[in-house]
Coordinates of all heavy atoms in Angstrom, one line a residue:
M10 N -0.3 -16.5 -8.6 CA -0.2 -15.5 -7.6 C -0.7 -14.1 -8.1 O -0.3 -13.7 -9.2 CB 1.2 -15.4 -7.0 CG 1.3 -14.5 -5.8 SD 3.0 -14.7 -5.1 CE 3.0 -13.5 -3.9
K11 N -1.5 -13.5 -7.3 CA -2.1 -12.2 -7.7 C -1.0 -11.1 -7.6 O -0.1 -11.2 -6.8 CB -3.3 -11.8 -6.9 CG -4.5 -12.7 -7.1 CD -5.7 -12.2 -6.3 CE -6.9 -13.0 -6.6 NZ -8.0 -12.6 -5.8
T12 N -1.2 -10.1 -8.4 CA -0.3 -9.0 -8.4 C -0.3 -8.3 -7.1 O -1.3 -7.9 -6.5 CB -0.7 -8.0 -9.5 OG1 -0.7 -8.6 -10.8 CG2 0.3 -6.8 -9.6
N13 N 0.9 -8.1 -6.5 CA 1.1 -7.4 -5.2 C 0.3 -8.0 -4.1 O -0.1 -7.2 -3.2 CB 0.8 -5.9 -5.4 CG 1.6 -5.3 -6.5 OD1 2.8 -5.5 -6.5 ND2 1.0 -4.7 -7.5
S14 N 0.1 -9.3 -4.1 CA -0.7 -9.9 -3.0 C -0.1 -9.7 -1.6 O -0.9 -9.6 -0.7 CB -1.0 -11.4 -3.3 OG 0.2 -12.1 -3.4
A15 N 1.2 -9.7 -1.5 CA 1.8 -9.5 -0.2 C 1.5 -8.2 0.4 O 1.2 -8.1 1.6 CB 3.3 -9.7 -0.3
I16 N 1.4 -7.1 -0.4 CA 1.1 -5.8 0.0 C -0.4 -5.8 0.5 O -0.7 -5.3 1.5 CB 1.4 -4.7 -1.0 CG1 2.9 -4.6 -1.2 CG2 0.7 -3.4 -0.7 CD1 3.2 -3.7 -2.4
K17 N -1.2 -6.3 -0.4 CA -2.7 -6.3 -0.1 C -3.0 -7.1 1.2 O -3.8 -6.7 2.0 CB -3.4 -6.9 -1.3 CG -3.3 -6.0 -2.5 CD -3.9 -6.7 -3.7 CE -3.7 -5.9 -5.0 NZ -4.2 -6.5 -6.2
Q18 N -2.3 -8.3 1.4 CA -2.5 -9.1 2.6 C -2.0 -8.4 3.8 O -2.7 -8.4 4.8 CB -1.9 -10.4 2.4 CG -2.5 -11.3 1.4 CD -1.8 -12.6 1.1 OE1 -0.7 -12.8 1.7 NE2 -2.3 -13.5 0.3
R19 N -0.9 -7.7 3.7 CA -0.3 -7.0 4.9 C -1.2 -5.9 5.3 O -1.4 -5.7 6.5 CB 1.1 -6.6 4.5 CG 1.8 -5.7 5.6 CD 2.1 -6.6 6.8 NE 2.8 -5.7 7.8 CZ 2.3 -5.5 9.0 NH1 1.2 -6.0 9.4 NH2 3.0 -4.7 9.8
A20 N -1.7 -5.1 4.3 CA -2.5 -4.0 4.7 C -3.8 -4.5 5.3 O -4.3 -3.9 6.3 CB -2.8 -3.2 3.4
K21 N -4.4 -5.5 4.7 CA -5.6 -6.0 5.3 C -5.4 -6.6 6.7 O -6.2 -6.3 7.6 CB -6.2 -7.1 4.4 CG -7.5 -7.7 4.8 CD -8.1 -8.7 3.8 CE -9.5 -9.1 4.2 NZ -10.1 -10.0 3.2
A22 N -4.4 -7.3 6.9 CA -4.1 -7.9 8.2 C -3.9 -6.8 9.3 O -4.2 -7.0 10.4 CB -2.9 -8.8 8.1
A23 N -3.3 -5.7 8.9 CA -3.0 -4.6 9.8 C -4.2 -3.7 10.0 O -4.2 -2.8 10.8 CB -1.8 -3.8 9.3
G24 N -5.2 -3.9 9.1 CA -6.4 -3.0 9.2 C -6.1 -1.6 8.7 O -6.7 -0.6 9.1
I25 N -5.2 -1.5 7.7 CA -4.8 -0.3 7.1 C -5.6 -0.1 5.8 O -5.7 -1.0 5.0 CB -3.3 -0.2 6.8 CG1 -2.5 -0.6 8.1 CG2 -2.9 1.1 6.2 CD1 -2.6 0.4 9.2
Y26 N -6.2 1.1 5.6 CA -6.9 1.4 4.4 C -6.0 2.1 3.4 O -5.0 2.7 3.7 CB -8.0 2.4 4.7 CG -9.1 1.8 5.6 CD1 -9.1 2.1 7.0 CD2 -10.0 0.9 5.1 CE1 -10.0 1.5 7.8 CE2 -11.0 0.4 5.9 CZ -11.0 0.7 7.3 OH -11.9 0.1 8.1
W27 N -6.4 2.0 2.1 CA -5.5 2.5 1.0 C -5.4 4.0 1.2 O -4.3 4.6 0.9 CB -6.1 2.2 -0.4 CG -6.2 0.7 -0.7 CD1 -7.3 0.0 -1.1 CD2 -5.2 -0.2 -0.6 NE1 -7.0 -1.3 -1.2 CE2 -5.7 -1.5 -0.9 CE3 -3.8 -0.2 -0.2 CZ2 -4.9 -2.6 -0.9 CZ3 -3.1 -1.3 -0.2 CH2 -3.6 -2.5 -0.6
W28 N -6.4 4.7 1.6 CA -6.3 6.2 1.8 C -5.2 6.5 2.8 O -4.6 7.6 2.7 CB -7.6 6.8 2.1 CG -8.2 6.5 3.4 CD1 -9.2 5.5 3.7 CD2 -8.0 7.1 4.7 NE1 -9.5 5.5 5.0 CE2 -8.8 6.4 5.6 CE3 -7.1 8.1 5.1 CZ2 -8.7 6.8 7.0 CZ3 -7.1 8.5 6.4 CH2 -7.9 7.8 7.4
Q29 N -5.1 5.7 3.8 CA -4.1 6.0 4.9 C -2.7 5.8 4.3 O -1.8 6.6 4.6 CB -4.3 5.0 6.1 CG -5.5 5.2 6.8 CD -5.8 4.2 7.9 OE1 -5.9 3.0 7.5 NE2 -5.8 4.6 9.1
I30 N -2.5 4.8 3.5 CA -1.2 4.5 2.9 C -0.9 5.7 1.9 O 0.2 6.2 1.9 CB -1.2 3.2 2.1 CG1 -1.4 2.0 3.1 CG2 0.1 3.0 1.3 CD1 -1.7 0.7 2.4
A31 N -1.9 6.1 1.2 CA -1.7 7.2 0.2 C -1.3 8.5 0.9 O -0.4 9.2 0.5 CB -3.0 7.4 -0.6
A32 N -2.0 8.8 2.0 CA -1.7 10.0 2.8 C -0.2 9.9 3.3 O 0.5 10.9 3.4 CB -2.7 10.2 3.9
K33 N 0.1 8.8 3.8 CA 1.5 8.6 4.4 C 2.6 8.8 3.4 O 3.6 9.4 3.7 CB 1.6 7.2 5.0 CG 2.8 6.9 5.7 CD 2.8 7.4 7.1 CE 3.9 7.0 7.9 NZ 3.9 7.6 9.2
I34 N 2.4 8.4 2.1 CA 3.4 8.6 1.2 C 3.2 9.8 0.2 O 4.0 10.1 -0.6 CB 3.7 7.3 0.3 CG1 2.5 6.9 -0.5 CG2 4.2 6.2 1.2 CD1 2.7 5.7 -1.4
G35 N 2.1 10.5 0.4 CA 1.9 11.8 -0.3 C 1.3 11.6 -1.7 O 1.7 12.5 -2.5
V36 N 0.5 10.6 -1.9 CA -0.2 10.5 -3.2 C -1.7 10.3 -3.0 O -2.1 10.1 -1.9 CB 0.4 9.3 -4.0 CG1 1.9 9.5 -4.3 CG2 0.1 8.0 -3.3
A37 N -2.4 10.4 -4.1 CA -3.9 10.2 -4.0 C -4.2 8.7 -3.8 O -3.4 7.8 -4.3 CB -4.5 10.7 -5.2
E38 N -5.3 8.4 -3.2 CA -5.7 7.0 -3.0 C -5.8 6.3 -4.3 O -5.5 5.1 -4.5 CB -7.1 7.0 -2.2 CG -7.6 5.6 -2.0 CD -8.9 5.5 -1.3 OE1 -9.6 6.6 -1.2 OE2 -9.4 4.4 -1.0
S39 N -6.4 7.0 -5.3 CA -6.5 6.4 -6.6 C -5.2 6.0 -7.3 O -5.1 5.0 -8.0 CB -7.3 7.3 -7.6 OG -6.6 8.6 -7.7
T40 N -4.1 6.7 -6.9 CA -2.8 6.4 -7.4 C -2.3 5.1 -6.8 O -1.8 4.2 -7.5 CB -1.8 7.5 -7.0 OG1 -2.2 8.7 -7.6 CG2 -0.4 7.2 -7.5
I41 N -2.5 4.9 -5.5 CA -2.2 3.6 -4.9 C -2.9 2.5 -5.5 O -2.3 1.4 -5.9 CB -2.5 3.6 -3.4 CG1 -1.6 4.6 -2.6 CG2 -2.3 2.2 -2.7 CD1 -0.1 4.3 -2.5
I42 N -4.2 2.6 -5.7 CA -5.0 1.6 -6.3 C -4.5 1.3 -7.7 O -4.4 0.1 -8.1 CB -6.5 2.0 -6.3 CG1 -7.0 2.0 -4.8 CG2 -7.4 1.0 -7.1 CD1 -8.3 2.7 -4.6
R43 N -4.2 2.3 -8.5 CA -3.7 2.1 -9.9 C -2.4 1.4 -9.8 O -2.1 0.5 -10.6 CB -3.6 3.4 -10.6 CG -3.3 3.3 -12.0 CD -3.4 4.6 -12.8 NE -2.4 5.6 -12.3 CZ -2.7 6.7 -11.6 NH1 -4.0 7.0 -11.4 NH2 -1.8 7.5 -11.1
W44 N -1.5 1.8 -8.9 CA -0.2 1.1 -8.8 C -0.3 -0.4 -8.6 O 0.5 -1.2 -9.1 CB 0.7 1.8 -7.7 CG 1.2 3.1 -8.0 CD1 1.2 3.8 -9.2 CD2 1.9 3.9 -7.1 NE1 1.8 5.0 -9.0 CE2 2.3 5.1 -7.7 CE3 2.2 3.8 -5.7 CZ2 3.0 6.2 -7.1 CZ3 2.9 4.8 -5.1 CH2 3.3 6.0 -5.8
L45 N -1.3 -0.7 -7.7 CA -1.4 -2.1 -7.3 C -2.0 -3.0 -8.4 O -2.0 -4.2 -8.2 CB -2.2 -2.2 -6.0 CG -1.6 -1.6 -4.8 CD1 -2.5 -1.6 -3.6 CD2 -0.3 -2.3 -4.4
R46 N -2.4 -2.5 -9.5 CA -2.9 -3.3 -10.6 C -1.8 -3.9 -11.4 O -2.1 -4.8 -12.2 CB -3.8 -2.4 -11.5 CG -5.0 -2.0 -10.9 CD -5.9 -1.2 -11.9 NE -7.0 -0.5 -11.3 CZ -7.5 0.6 -11.6 NH1 -6.9 1.3 -12.6 NH2 -8.5 1.2 -10.9
M47 N -0.6 -3.5 -11.3 CA 0.5 -4.0 -12.1 C 1.7 -4.2 -11.2 O 1.8 -3.7 -10.1 CB 0.9 -3.0 -13.2 CG 1.3 -1.6 -12.8 SD 1.3 -0.5 -14.1 CE -0.4 0.2 -14.0
P48 N 2.7 -5.0 -11.6 CA 3.9 -5.2 -10.8 C 4.6 -3.9 -10.5 O 4.7 -3.0 -11.3 CB 4.8 -6.1 -11.7 CG 3.8 -6.8 -12.6 CD 2.7 -5.8 -12.9
L49 N 5.0 -3.8 -9.2 CA 5.6 -2.6 -8.7 C 7.2 -2.7 -8.8 O 7.7 -3.8 -8.8 CB 5.3 -2.4 -7.3 CG 3.9 -2.1 -6.9 CD1 3.7 -2.1 -5.4 CD2 3.5 -0.7 -7.4
S50 N 7.8 -1.6 -9.0 CA 9.3 -1.5 -8.9 C 9.6 -1.9 -7.4 O 8.8 -1.7 -6.5 CB 9.8 -0.2 -9.3 OG 9.4 0.8 -8.3
A51 N 10.8 -2.3 -7.2 CA 11.3 -2.7 -5.9 C 11.2 -1.5 -5.0 O 10.8 -1.6 -3.8 CB 12.7 -3.2 -5.9
E52 N 11.6 -0.3 -5.5 CA 11.5 1.0 -4.7 C 10.1 1.3 -4.3 O 9.9 1.7 -3.1 CB 12.1 2.1 -5.6 CG 12.1 3.4 -4.9 CD 12.6 4.5 -5.8 OE1 13.7 4.3 -6.5 OE2 12.0 5.6 -5.8
R53 N 9.2 1.2 -5.2 CA 7.8 1.6 -4.9 C 7.2 0.6 -3.9 O 6.5 1.0 -3.0 CB 7.0 1.7 -6.2 CG 5.7 2.4 -6.0 CD 5.1 2.7 -7.4 NE 5.6 3.9 -7.9 CZ 5.3 4.4 -9.1 NH1 4.5 3.7 -9.9 NH2 5.8 5.5 -9.6
E54 N 7.5 -0.7 -4.1 CA 7.0 -1.7 -3.2 C 7.5 -1.5 -1.8 O 6.8 -1.6 -0.8 CB 7.4 -3.1 -3.7 CG 6.9 -4.2 -2.8 CD 7.2 -5.6 -3.3 OE1 7.7 -5.7 -4.5 OE2 6.9 -6.6 -2.6
A55 N 8.8 -1.2 -1.7 CA 9.4 -0.9 -0.4 C 8.8 0.3 0.3 O 8.5 0.3 1.5 CB 10.9 -0.7 -0.5
M56 N 8.5 1.3 -0.5 CA 7.9 2.6 0.0 C 6.5 2.3 0.6 O 6.2 2.7 1.7 CB 7.8 3.6 -1.1 CG 7.2 4.9 -0.7 SD 7.2 6.2 -2.0 CE 6.4 5.3 -3.4
I57 N 5.7 1.5 -0.1 CA 4.4 1.1 0.3 C 4.4 0.3 1.6 O 3.7 0.5 2.5 CB 3.6 0.5 -0.8 CG1 3.3 1.5 -1.9 CG2 2.2 -0.1 -0.3 CD1 2.7 0.9 -3.2
M58 N 5.3 -0.7 1.6 CA 5.4 -1.6 2.7 C 5.9 -0.9 4.0 O 5.4 -1.1 5.1 CB 6.3 -2.8 2.4 CG 5.7 -3.8 1.5 SD 4.2 -4.6 2.1 CE 4.9 -6.0 3.0
A59 N 6.8 0.1 3.8 CA 7.3 0.9 4.9 C 6.1 1.7 5.5 O 6.0 1.8 6.7 CB 8.4 1.8 4.5
A60 N 5.3 2.3 4.6 CA 4.1 3.0 5.0 C 3.2 2.2 5.8 O 2.7 2.6 6.9 CB 3.4 3.7 3.9
I61 N 2.9 1.0 5.3 CA 2.0 0.0 6.0 C 2.6 -0.3 7.4 O 1.9 -0.3 8.4 CB 1.8 -1.2 5.2 CG1 1.0 -0.9 3.9 CG2 1.1 -2.3 6.0 CD1 0.9 -2.1 2.9
N62 N 3.9 -0.6 7.5 CA 4.5 -1.0 8.7 C 4.5 0.2 9.7 O 4.2 0.0 10.9 CB 5.9 -1.4 8.5 CG 6.0 -2.8 7.8 OD1 5.1 -3.6 7.9 ND2 7.1 -3.0 7.1
D63 N 4.7 1.4 9.2 CA 4.7 2.6 10.1 C 3.2 2.8 10.6 O 3.0 3.1 11.8 CB 5.1 3.9 9.4 CG 6.6 3.9 9.1 OD1 7.3 3.1 9.7 OD2 7.0 4.8 8.3
L64 N 2.3 2.7 9.8 CA 0.9 2.9 10.2 C 0.4 1.8 11.1 O -0.3 2.1 12.1 CB 0.0 2.9 8.9 CG 0.1 4.1 8.0 CD1 -0.5 3.9 6.7 CD2 -0.6 5.3 8.7
A65 N 0.9 0.6 10.9 CA 0.5 -0.5 11.8 C 1.0 -0.3 13.3 O 0.4 -0.6 14.2 CB 1.1 -1.8 11.3
K66 N 2.2 0.4 13.4 CA 2.8 0.7 14.7 C 1.9 1.8 15.4 O 1.9 1.8 16.6 CB 4.2 1.2 14.5 CG 5.2 0.1 14.1 CD 6.5 0.7 13.9 CE 7.5 -0.3 13.3 NZ 8.8 0.3 12.9
E67 N 1.3 2.6 14.6 CA 0.5 3.7 15.2 C -0.8 3.3 15.7 O -1.4 4.0 16.5 CB 0.3 4.8 14.1 CG 1.5 5.5 13.7 CD 1.3 6.5 12.5 OE1 0.2 6.7 12.2 OE2 2.3 6.9 11.9
V68 N -1.3 2.1 15.3 CA -2.6 1.6 15.7 C -2.6 1.1 17.1 O -1.8 0.6 17.6 CB -3.1 0.6 14.7 CG1 -4.5 0.0 15.1 CG2 -3.2 1.1 13.3

């Protein structure tokens, strides 16, 4: 299983871009991309998934 595949699949399915997630949680897009290269802490994963879910509701 690829690292953080659930997050990547959820964002893709919702049509959410990394820059949108980054803006929602207040970090740079490059930070999100870097985070997704390695296993995330439960807190960071929850924060990203919450941002994706919030953005998906706005679409």
Side-chain angles (χ1 to χ4, degrees):
M10 187 169 173
K11 291 185 179 182
T12 303
N13 303 309
S14 61
I16 290 173
K17 294 172 185 176
Q18 289 173 359
R19 176 70 178 116
K21 185 175 182 177
I25 306 296
Y26 296 100
W27 299 128
W28 66 265
Q29 292 172 298
I30 297 167
K33 185 79 172 173
I34 62 175
V36 298
E38 179 182 9
S39 59
T40 300
I41 294 289
I42 293 167
R43 189 175 60 248
W44 286 353
L45 293 175
R46 290 183 192 144
M47 60 193 91
L49 294 171
S50 67
E52 178 184 316
R53 199 170 271 174
E54 183 177 353
M56 179 175 55
I57 293 171
M58 287 299 270
I61 293 169
N62 291 334
D63 288 348
L64 289 164
K66 291 175 188 174
E67 295 173 10
V68 177

